[in-house]
Amino acid sequence: GENVEQHPSTLSVQEGDSAVIKCTYSDSASNYFPWYKQELGKGPQLIIDIRSNVGEKKDQRIAVTLNKTAKHFSLHITETQPEDSAVYFCAANSNTGNQFYFGTGTSLTVIP
Amino acid sequence: DVKVTQSSRYLVKRTGEKVFLECVQDMDHENMFWYRQDPGLGLRLIYFSYDVKMKEKGDIPEGYSVSREKKERFSLILESASTNQTSMYLCASSPRRNTEAFFGQGTRLTVV
């Protein structure tokens, strides 16, 4: 099955700085890559996603890039704010599209 | 808004008990999932279902079973709870393949 690796496991940045989280995947058949944010005491919530026919997608301060050849994708958060502090998970779909494989998560702390 | 509701936020059960975790979604989604979340391991898929009465094993099905008698409801069953099943359990649903999964708020299960 798919194997998704995520780095770093923890990340601290000063408010206003950028944060980058990187993931790699193993199955070249994966074609959908969502990113989830999990705040304390809540379930994960989608913040952005990208499909394999696109190399980059942006939504305000959040962007995701995908390199299909290298099988890696990254989350970029610019102008970080304290409310960005959370655990972030990357994921890749299976070759059947019926399930997702998740990375191990990155705990982001934005220091005011 | 899609709502995925898990019946309990916190549960404490004794070793050997049969435990039922219930999940209901209100958006007529085809797919439903049960994940287990542990620190440093991310989200691991236990079982998923793509239709009523249909189920498929995920990566860690041992010690668990599931039931989907109605489209909106997906139950996770621990046949005989053990201490190593102490964890956060997350239910999710998605409308079809290769689309966003919506998560419930999670059930923190402690087996003593």
Side-chain angles (χ1 to χ4, degrees), chain A residues 37-87:
Chain A
K37 176 183 181 181
Q38 186 176 27
E39 297 176 335
L40 202 60
K42 297 184 179 180
Q45 188 169 11
L46 183 82
I47 54 171
I48 196 167
D49 56 11
I50 191 167
R51 297 188 183 274
S52 59
N53 57 348
V54 175
E56 184 173 358
K57 184 176 178 180
K58 193 172 182 180
D59 182 4
Q60 299 183 341
R61 297 187 296 109
I62 295 173
V64 58
T65 59
L66 171 65
N67 183 326
K68 284 192 299 181
T69 304
K71 297 201 194 79
H72 65 71
F73 55 115
S74 301
L75 178 72
H76 304 253
I77 306 174
T78 59
E79 300 171 22
T80 53
Q81 301 167 3
E83 51 266 38
D84 294 329
S85 296
V87 178

Side-chain angles (χ1 to χ4, degrees), chain B residues 16 37 41 66 83-84:
Chain B
Q37 182 176 16
L41 297 178
V66 290
T83 55
N84 63 11

Side-chain angles (χ1 to χ4, degrees), chain B residues 16-111:
Chain B
E17 276 193 79
K18 191 169 186 176
V19 181
F20 293 86
L21 302 183
E22 307 287 346
C23 176
V24 176
Q25 50 97 0
D26 65 358
M27 284 300 291
D28 200 38
H29 284 176
E30 299 293 328
N31 298 331
M32 295 190 74
F33 310 84
W34 275 106
Y35 287 91
R36 171 175 171 161
Q37 182 176 16
D38 298 290
L41 297 178
L43 281 68
R44 293 179 293 166
L45 183 65
I46 304 172
Y47 269 97
F48 70 98
S49 168
Y50 51 89
D51 201 352
V52 174
K53 297 190 186 293
M54 303 303 288
K55 60 185 180 184
E56 284 197 25
K57 293 179 180 179
D59 298 319
I60 52 165
E62 297 79 17
Y64 304 94
S65 61
V66 290
S67 172
R68 194 170 181 197
E69 296 296 320
K70 293 184 178 181
K71 192 174 186 180
E72 67 271 17
R73 187 179 296 270
F74 193 35
S75 302
L76 179 69
I77 303 154
L78 285 66
E79 297 291 342
S80 177
S82 64
T83 55
N84 63 11
Q85 293 178 309
T86 292
S87 187
M88 170 70 83
Y89 290 88
L90 290 163
C91 175
S93 71
S94 68
R96 55 195 172 277
R97 294 181 182 189
N98 301 326
T99 57
E100 174 186 359
F102 295 85
F103 283 85
Q105 78 278 24
T107 296
R108 185 163 292 283
L109 172 67
T110 302
V111 182

